[in-house]
Amino acid sequence: MSGSSLDGLDACLAQFEKIGDMWAYHILESTTFPFPKDLASKLKNSPTLDAQSLLALDVTYGLWIAKNISSLVEHADLISVHGHTVFHSPADRVSLQIGSAEVIHLQSGKPVVSQFRNTDILLGGQGAPLVPMGEKLLFPSFDAFLNLGGICNATFRKENRWLAGDIGPFNQVFNHYASMLGHALDADGEIARSGQLIPELIQSWADNPYFRQPFPKSLANQWVSSHFLDIKKFRPSDILHSFAHFITDQLSAVISGNNPERLMITGGGAYNSFAMELLHQKCKTEINIPDSRLIDCKEALIFGLLGLLRWRHEVNVLSSCTGAHRDSSSGVIYQ
């Protein structure tokens, strides 16, 4: 799994066992392979490439993935690859993730499942979020989940139905403005903590109609760039301070509106102490932040399960979370 933060490839080797209607998991190994600067730059600029260059990057990235995970998957039965999202526009029935699964299959000799979003989109869904099925099956003691990646998304159990959607950007914004100050990221949210509040900026974000749309809904990287990453009028630290307040306002409003009992928070944003302090102040729900291994690899773990469910021809995408006409078993299998 590699997200929009572009900090690296999260890889998780896990064993799964079905117990009744649920699944148990055991993480055997997990790691993050940092992207070389040239590869990160190419992936970041991938939406601007011509068709031939994009196809070439698809193969190049697939070879890089296969090389890095070779020792990890030596004894694996199945590989699941989410890939790097270049375009995501469900309204146009388009979502493209690169990192050629066919190349990974040929290099590893293992069956590979990829392209998890397209079937759901063709069924009228958003093609996102996909992790709710894994959250439902692997973590039954929780009724809410918050993933703070490049884009933050949430999942809620409402009686016997699951709802989910993208709430807004997260690490993409923190990383972008931290990089303007010479840092790869805003460690612990300290840059944001040092800034000053800009009420007019918060109001301009809050006025965006996306934040009033109900679930299910999803965001594209290009949307984040155009609405949050092109601000030059204010100091980066003040932008981040204001954004931390804004996004935790949005998160607490969504959480309070769904009134869960137990919330799990994972993703790199869970390490942002400033944002977590603000969220604790604004949210009355019991918040649980697991150990660092699960914080870092929960999405990779879940995509492993989604690939396994696809291999077994079982439902791995919940239409109640994506807006599709029906649940589906999504993903392309290379074998």
Side-chain angles (χ1 to χ4, degrees), residues 4-326:
S4 53
S5 298
L6 283 173
D7 49 2
L9 177 75
D10 295 330
C12 178
L13 179 64
Q15 184 176 15
F16 296 99
E17 178 185 2
K18 192 167 188 180
I19 303 175
D21 294 332
M22 298 296 169
W23 285 84
Y25 70 91
H26 177 56
I27 298 174
L28 303 173
E29 190 175 347
S30 65
T31 188
T32 296
F33 299 101
F35 289 138
K37 287 185 177 180
D38 62 332
L39 179 58
S41 177
K42 289 176 181 177
L43 292 173
K44 181 178 181 179
N45 295 319
S46 57
T48 67
L49 297 177
D50 59 73
Q52 183 173 341
S53 299
L54 187 58
L55 289 170
L57 181 58
D58 182 35
V59 173
T60 298
Y61 185 35
L63 287 168
W64 185 87
I65 292 174
K67 178 181 178 181
N68 279 275
I69 68 172
S70 59
S71 61
L72 197 67
V73 303
E74 184 177 356
H75 301 293
D77 299 309
L78 182 71
I79 301 172
S80 297
V81 180
H82 174 272
H84 173 73
T85 300
V86 179
F87 304 111
H88 182 71
S89 181
D92 300 317
R93 299 193 175 187
V94 171
S95 188
L96 175 65
Q97 286 74 42
I98 60 172
S100 173
E102 186 171 13
V103 167
I104 297 168
H105 162 60
L106 292 173
Q107 292 289 312
S108 67
K110 308 287 184 178
V112 177
V113 184
S114 70
Q115 299 177 41
F116 288 92
R117 302 189 184 276
N118 296 332
T119 297
D120 182 80
I121 288 175
L122 292 174
L123 290 171
Q126 293 285 310
L130 300 180
V131 294
M133 176 58 87
E135 292 167 334
K136 170 186 175 182
L137 296 178
L138 296 179
F139 308 103
S141 65
F142 291 89
D143 59 351
F145 303 87
L146 187 60
N147 175 60
L148 303 178
I151 290 173
C152 56
N153 53 68
T155 306
F156 300 97
R157 182 175 65 210
K158 304 286 287 185
E159 297 178 349
N160 292 321
R161 188 167 179 258
W162 289 84
L163 302 174
D166 289 342
I167 296 176
F170 202 85
N171 287 334
Q172 282 195 59
V173 177
F174 284 104
N175 294 356
H176 176 79
Y177 290 104
S179 70
M180 295 176 66
L181 298 174
H183 304 278
L185 48 82
D186 185 6
D188 296 326
E190 290 307 308
I191 298 174
R193 190 189 299 274
S194 70
Q196 300 294 317
L197 206 63
I198 310 170
E200 65 181 274
L201 187 56
I202 292 177
Q203 188 60 52
S204 69
W205 288 329
D207 288 340
N208 192 297
Y210 178 84
F211 296 104
R212 294 189 292 276
Q213 293 178 23
F215 286 171
K217 58 181 179 179
S218 63
L219 286 172
N221 295 333
Q222 291 84 353
W223 184 93
V224 175
S225 296
S226 63
H227 291 89
F228 285 86
L229 305 186
D230 193 30
I231 302 169
K232 300 180 176 64
K233 183 179 177 182
F234 306 106
R235 295 189 310 163
S237 59
D238 294 342
I239 295 173
L240 289 184
H241 186 86
S242 302
F243 176 73
H245 279 274
F246 167 77
I247 197 61
T248 52
D249 283 345
Q250 298 299 318
L251 292 171
S252 62
V254 173
I255 293 167
S256 299
N258 287 278
N259 195 31
E261 293 183 5
R262 299 189 73 219
L263 169 70
M264 178 192 287
I265 299 181
T266 54
Y271 297 117
N272 189 316
S273 299
F274 181 56
M276 292 302 94
E277 288 171 17
L278 291 175
L279 189 59
H280 274 284
Q281 293 169 13
K282 300 172 183 179
C283 183
K284 297 180 180 179
T285 298
E286 178 188 333
I287 294 176
N288 295 267
I289 299 179
D291 60 73
S292 59
R293 170 176 270 191
L294 198 55
I295 288 175
D296 295 337
C297 78
K298 173 172 164 268
E299 284 205 309
L301 170 72
I302 286 179
F303 271 97
L305 179 62
L306 299 186
L308 175 57
L309 293 174
R310 178 68 185 98
W311 179 259
R312 292 164 57 94
H313 303 287
E314 297 177 11
V315 168
N316 63 358
V317 179
L318 295 172
S319 57
S320 62
C321 296
T322 67
H325 303 315
R326 60 173 174 83

